[in-house]
Amino acid sequence: MIDINLLKSETEKFGVSLDDKTLANFDRFAEMLVDWNSRINLTAITEPTQIVYKHFADSLTALAAVDVPQGASFIDVGTGGGFPGLPLIIARPDLHAVLLDSTKKKLMFVDYVIDKLEMSGRGRTLHMRAEEAGVKIQLRNRFDFSFSRAVANLRELSEYCLPLTKIGGTFVALKGAKAMEEIAEAKEAIKILGGEIQEVKKFILGDMGERYLVVIKKVSPTPPKYPRASAKISKEPLGLSKK
Ligand code: SAM
């Protein structure tokens, strides 16, 4: 269904190499995505070349932005139809992932893909809001990495993701052209939440334009009062309101 040679060559450009079996799994994933998307709304992107660039290659830039050690754990916050989490565990069978979303229907699709591609030992879905997960003892400070794409602005996203990330771990936000503005707005919040911006990596993917991966190290504990309830997170932007 997709041009697997295109996926292979595009990801090789940023140093991620995919073998034939992995490429075949991406092809099956694309078929399942398009099939399910005719029944439930998972994505607006269904054209095969766009799937290669906007879903698969874009998700895999995370592996080029940070060095993800063998056997590392991560949480994908707001995974939706599985991005970036599913491409990451397809490409890296050694990783352990929790794919979190507040929409059950989308997670049914993610579960289906995990089952069909025989990845149940290393990926599981979690139907929960990120700000609820962040206060649960078994999830807080638990993950080597948190990844997230297209969920919220960086300031809000930091309050979702940093509590879940281990101290010494890394939160990576996959962002588009407005990344720099978002960073400026989020700087103070990131500091309050125990993070430190390490670097911003820029990728150009086909005609997608510029993509930015904001790499944030968790250097100190997130104060216990964060994350707040979702209404507060959006109505009282952290770093601007009283602390
Ligand atoms: N990350 C996927 C991608 O890039 O294709 C999905 C992006 S979709 C635009 C945003 C997703 O984030 C939705 O599936 C939504 O349910 C989820 N979401 C938004 N806020 C959330 C929260 N506070 N906790 C959990 N999931 C959330």
Side-chain angles (χ1 to χ4, degrees):
M1 132 129 229
I2 57 164
D3 180 349
I4 54 172
N5 291 319
L6 178 68
L7 178 59
K8 189 175 171 63
S9 60
E10 285 302 311
T11 54
E12 265 167 11
K13 285 183 190 163
F14 53 78
V16 172
S17 65
L18 304 172
D19 63 19
D20 289 349
K21 183 169 173 251
T22 304
L23 288 164
N25 281 338
F26 273 106
D27 194 42
R28 289 181 65 200
F29 178 21
E31 269 174 21
M32 293 184 256
L33 182 69
V34 171
D35 177 33
W36 276 62
N37 205 52
S38 61
R39 297 188 296 279
I40 65 168
N41 183 22
L42 294 165
T43 177
I45 298 159
T46 53
E47 193 278 314
T49 304
Q50 296 294 304
I51 292 177
V52 167
Y53 282 110
K54 297 193 176 173
H55 280 326
F56 295 168
D58 189 46
S59 295
L60 293 172
T61 57
L63 296 175
V66 281
D67 180 23
V68 182
Q70 284 283 312
S73 63
F74 75 85
I75 185 162
D76 177 6
V77 172
T79 191
F83 304 103
L86 284 175
L88 295 178
I89 55 171
I90 292 172
R92 285 282 303 270
D94 58 292
L95 302 181
H96 297 278
V98 170
L99 308 173
L100 172 139
D101 205 283
S102 55
T103 307
K104 181 75 187 159
K105 228 172 36 171
K106 294 185 180 181
L107 293 181
M108 284 167 58
F109 169 71
V110 176
D111 277 328
Y112 179 81
V113 177
I114 287 174
D115 180 50
K116 290 289 164 201
L117 298 185
E118 297 175 359
M119 303 191 295
S120 54
R122 49 207 171 86
R124 70 175 175 97
T125 57
L126 183 60
H127 179 217
M128 200 178 281
R129 293 195 62 87
E131 62 278 21
E132 288 164 9
V135 296
K136 294 220 179 307
I137 193 147
Q138 66 274 31
L139 296 166
R140 191 177 174 94
N141 292 321
R142 150 110 160 64
F143 298 93
D144 298 316
F145 293 87
S146 53
F147 296 112
S148 190
R149 183 181 85 157
V151 172
N153 67 55
L154 187 62
R155 182 170 51 209
E156 295 180 17
L157 196 61
S158 299
E159 193 163 344
Y160 293 155
C161 293
L162 279 167
L164 295 161
T165 311
K166 274 181 190 168
I167 295 171
T170 308
F171 156 44
V172 182
L174 289 75
K175 290 286 176 187
K178 295 219 169 101
M180 294 308 171
E181 285 164 49
E182 289 193 36
I183 289 170
E185 280 174 7
K187 261 194 178 137
E188 187 58 27
I190 291 168
K191 213 185 285 173
I192 293 168
L193 294 162
E196 190 177 276
I197 298 178
Q198 262 199 331
E199 57 181 331
V200 182
K201 292 223 168 159
K202 179 174 162 184
F203 293 86
I204 311 263
L205 292 177
D207 61 2
M208 263 189 95
E210 294 169 355
R211 303 287 299 156
Y212 294 89
L213 272 71
V214 187
V215 180
I216 298 168
K217 191 105 184 152
K218 180 151 169 189
V219 292
S220 57
T222 301
K225 66 176 177 181
Y226 305 112
R228 300 164 294 163
S230 66
K232 270 217 157 163
I233 293 178
S234 55
K235 285 195 199 117
E236 290 179 24
L238 190 55
L240 299 181
S241 57
K242 20 182 213 336
K243 290 165 204 165

